Amino acid sequence: MLYGLSTSLSKSAPKVHAKLTTRILLTVLLLAVFAISVGAAPAREVILATTTSTADTGLLDVLIPIFQEKTGYMVKTIAVGTGQALALGSRGEADVLLCHAPASELELVKNGDVIERKLVMHNDFIIVGPASDPAKVRGLKSAAEAFSRISGTQSVFVSRGDDSGTHKKEKAVWTKLGTAPSGKWYVEAGAGMGRTLSIASEKDGYTLTDRGTYLAFQKNLALDILVEGDAILLNIYHVMQVNPAKFAKVNGAGGLAFAEFMVSPEVQEIISTFGVDKYGDPLFFPDAGKNVDDLGK
Amino acid sequence: MDLIAEGISKAFWLLVKGDRDVFQIALLTLRVSGLATLISLAIGVPLGTALALGRFRGRSAAASIVNTGMGLPPVVVGLWVSIMLWRYGPLGSLRLMYTPAAMVIAQTIIALPIITGLTMSGIGQLDPGIHVQLLSLGATRLQLVWLLVREARLAVLAAVIAGFGRVISEIGASMMVGGNVVGHTRVLTTATSMEVSRGNFGEAIALSLILLCITLTITSCLTRLQQKGGSTQS
């Protein structure tokens, strides 16, 4: 085709050159327009930034279709570490957040980045490790004591190392203990919970995990639950809407609709039974309307 | 061993039953990577030819930049495209973040230097006599470019194969700018990674086998085209 064009215009070379450039530019433009039309953003979309733990357990796969059906919004779930989810929220790059790092979330509330923060559910963190348990932590009631024995015996500990909610919780335990872990035994994975569990299993190491992801992965792991039940190990999820008064580009109505949906009786009922069929126990406990301080009592 | 068997049998049944989700994911993968390759081809071949033949200031600097770009890490591209496309980024008003279009843009940036660079070296390897001969036969600039590209079509097809292979297999950029949104921006690589992080190794193996089948089919079609071109040429 280009060849034909060139023959017909071969009498004036500079003109041909200009035509060629125009033609290439036009083609590129057309392709770009096509590319954009392929993915034109629907007007009613809600960007949900959430933690990998809610997505990896499959809970959102159950809830999101119901929400979309009910409200007509199209939800884009971006599953990242809590650190990144909160960062997206504080820059107005998401409409609603579902996270499990209460202390960091409160900072966003204080700065006016998010509003309508509501308690949704909780489960708990557990310390898992190899059955041989070289640091002798099995059955301890205190997470800090377990961490102290792990670092004391220089047993392998695999940390998320990704500023996620789980990683923040782990750091809170080290802080309570008054030490900063370092050394060859302390492995920073920089990965999601599932991958971190796999690494711990391969390395015969300990790690701190949320119970839900552990249950989902259990069949592929050589790790036992060694420590559970310490109050510091509660894993609490809140939903919050990114403040449309601060960020004009945020979908305020959609964010609010999702936040209210998460604490509605219907969703709370689904949460209370989610996972029972597969693991025998629920993965999360619904908490809408409760006071955070009463959890775990 | 049982994991591999489970994965293979899952892949087989997903393909045989024509699972709708998997079909949609595979189709989107092809559309995004195919489009990115086409755009890179439309820009990269003329650009590579110009860099091979042109005599202008800064040509060798430009060639170095292209050659460096051939090794651009996808996550770096993903990060920069994200920064540009975020709502409050310079191009935020286009509303392209977390869309297939954003993935096409990122993959084009990854494939373009590869296709440009390989075209450049392909054209550069042609006998310089052809260039002069064609001009003396009265070829226009456009005819010259067209004939040279035809002459170097083995190398140009190799460029397409390399570019397509790179973008269909990359994950870093697609994950960042697409977000792996179900039914919207989930492609085979991001879906595979997600299934691994969910502990569904069987599904992950199945998806990876489907990706390999697609890549193999397309690459062997292109290779056949390339070798056919090679035999008529001699």
Side-chain angles (χ1 to χ4, degrees):
Chain A
M1 196 165 59
L2 282 172
Y3 190 77
L5 176 86
S6 73
T7 328
S8 62
L9 290 171
S10 60
K11 272 167 196 137
S12 56
K15 208 170 152 194
V16 168
H17 191 55
K19 280 266 176 185
L20 173 69
T21 318
T22 324
R23 205 180 165 92
I24 290 170
L25 281 177
L26 262 177
T27 315
V28 171
L29 202 71
L30 271 175
L31 285 170
V33 167
F34 175 61
I36 288 164
S37 68
V38 160
R44 285 167 60 81
E45 70 176 33
V46 178
I47 297 180
L48 163 67
T50 184
T51 76
T52 48
S53 55
T54 47
D56 283 354
T57 50
L59 176 64
L60 290 175
D61 293 343
V62 176
L63 298 181
I64 301 274
I66 302 173
F67 176 73
Q68 296 189 144
E69 176 82 4
K70 272 194 129 132
T71 60
Y73 285 111
M74 141 95 194
V75 179
K76 292 190 166 177
T77 309
I78 311 300
V80 289
T82 294
Q84 191 183 343
L86 292 171
L88 287 174
S90 69
R91 306 182 62 90
E93 299 294 346
D95 301 316
V96 60
L97 314 177
L98 179 63
C99 301
H100 60 146
S104 309
E105 291 162 17
L106 285 172
E107 267 174 51
L108 265 66
V109 174
K110 209 178 75 195
N111 296 339
D113 296 330
V114 298
I115 52 173
E116 297 288 336
R117 179 170 172 270
K118 300 170 204 284
L119 176 61
V120 177
M121 60 191 181
H122 79 275
N123 61 7
D124 59 346
F125 290 106
I126 48 182
I127 299 173
V128 298
S132 59
D133 191 17
K136 302 272 173 294
V137 303
R138 191 186 293 271
L140 288 179
K141 284 285 159 255
S142 156
E145 170 65 17
F147 274 30
S148 155
R149 290 196 192 176
I150 291 168
S151 70
T153 56
Q154 307 255 307
S155 306
V156 173
F157 184 94
V158 184
S159 165
R160 287 280 294 271
D162 62 349
D163 208 28
S164 58
T166 311
H167 187 211
K168 285 175 194 283
K169 179 64 81 177
E170 182 211 315
K171 285 193 285 194
V173 178
W174 289 117
T175 306
K176 192 180 168 193
L177 197 60
T179 61
S182 69
K184 259 185 119 171
W185 59 277
Y186 185 74
V187 180
E188 292 193 59
M193 194 68 250
R195 226 156 276 179
T196 303
L197 281 167
S198 300
I199 295 170
S201 179
E202 293 296 323
K203 288 187 176 288
D204 282 332
Y206 294 89
T207 191
L208 180 76
T209 172
D210 64 285
R211 191 183 293 266
T213 313
Y214 171 77
L215 287 175
F217 267 71
Q218 203 175 14
K219 62 179 195 288
N220 298 311
L221 298 173
L223 297 171
D224 290 357
I225 298 178
L226 300 174
V227 177
E228 57 189 327
D230 188 343
I232 200 177
L233 293 182
L234 274 182
N235 182 22
I236 303 165
Y237 289 85
H238 285 83
V239 69
M240 64 219 83
Q241 172 194 4
V242 179
N243 190 354
K246 184 165 181 181
F247 303 103
K249 294 181 179 180
V250 159
N251 180 350
L256 181 62
F258 188 82
E260 283 174 346
F261 170 76
M262 285 304 289
V263 295
S264 69
E266 182 193 359
V267 168
Q268 293 285 305
E269 171 69 27
I270 295 172
I271 291 172
S272 72
T273 57
F274 179 75
V276 174
D277 52 343
K278 217 166 157 187
Y279 310 111
D281 287 308
L283 296 184
F284 301 98
F285 303 94
D287 294 319
K290 288 188 200 161
N291 189 331
V292 181
D293 299 328
D294 297 337
L295 295 184
K297 284 180 182 161
Chain B
M1 250 339 264
D2 51 332
L3 244 183
I4 298 174
E6 185 197 336
I8 291 173
S9 82
K10 272 219 171 90
F12 179 76
W13 285 115
L14 282 176
L15 286 175
V16 169
K17 284 191 299 192
D19 185 276
R20 252 192 64 215
D21 291 344
V22 172
F23 183 71
Q24 195 192 24
I25 292 171
L27 195 68
L28 183 71
T29 308
L30 271 177
R31 264 170 50 182
V32 168
S33 298
L35 197 55
T37 311
L38 278 178
I39 297 174
S40 306
L41 191 66
I43 307 174
V45 169
L47 194 63
T49 312
L51 285 175
L53 300 180
R55 296 283 170 267
F56 50 88
R57 274 166 67 94
R59 189 186 71 97
S60 77
S64 300
I65 291 172
V66 167
N67 283 332
T68 310
M70 288 171 78
L72 262 185
V75 277
V76 172
V77 175
L79 173 66
W80 282 95
V81 173
S82 296
I83 290 171
M84 299 304 286
L85 294 185
W86 265 327
R87 279 176 184 166
Y88 290 94
L91 300 175
S93 54
L94 294 176
R95 291 253 158 192
L96 288 179
M97 195 62 186
Y98 309 127
T99 63
M103 299 162 80
V104 172
I105 291 170
Q107 293 196 355
T108 301
I109 295 172
I110 295 168
L112 183 59
I114 296 176
I115 293 185
T116 309
L118 292 180
T119 304
M120 183 171 75
S121 71
I123 301 269
Q125 274 175 356
L126 293 177
D127 181 358
I130 297 186
H131 185 180
V132 181
Q133 203 179 358
L134 288 172
L135 281 178
S136 69
L137 286 172
T140 64
R141 222 178 177 136
L142 182 87
Q143 286 171 325
L144 177 71
V145 168
W146 179 242
L147 290 169
L148 285 177
V149 168
R150 270 178 60 122
E151 208 54 35
R153 60 187 176 274
L154 276 177
V156 173
L157 271 167
V160 176
I161 293 171
F164 179 77
R166 182 84 192 279
V167 293
I168 200 171
S169 61
E170 75 82 26
I171 175 162
S174 295
M175 195 64 126
M176 261 197 228
V177 304
N180 190 33
V181 177
V182 60
H184 192 61
T185 56
R186 185 164 293 171
V187 290
L188 285 164
T189 49
T190 60
T192 305
S193 171
M194 184 197 67
E195 294 297 354
V196 170
S197 74
R198 287 183 175 188
N200 300 330
F201 298 128
E203 277 83 353
I205 294 174
L207 287 168
S208 70
L209 288 176
I210 293 169
L211 177 61
L212 283 177
C213 287
I214 292 179
T215 316
L216 185 69
T217 312
I218 301 227
T219 311
S220 41
C221 287
L222 288 171
T223 310
R224 183 171 286 196
L225 197 68
Q226 188 190 35
Q227 286 174 354
K228 224 170 116 190
S231 62
T232 53
Q233 190 181 24
S234 56

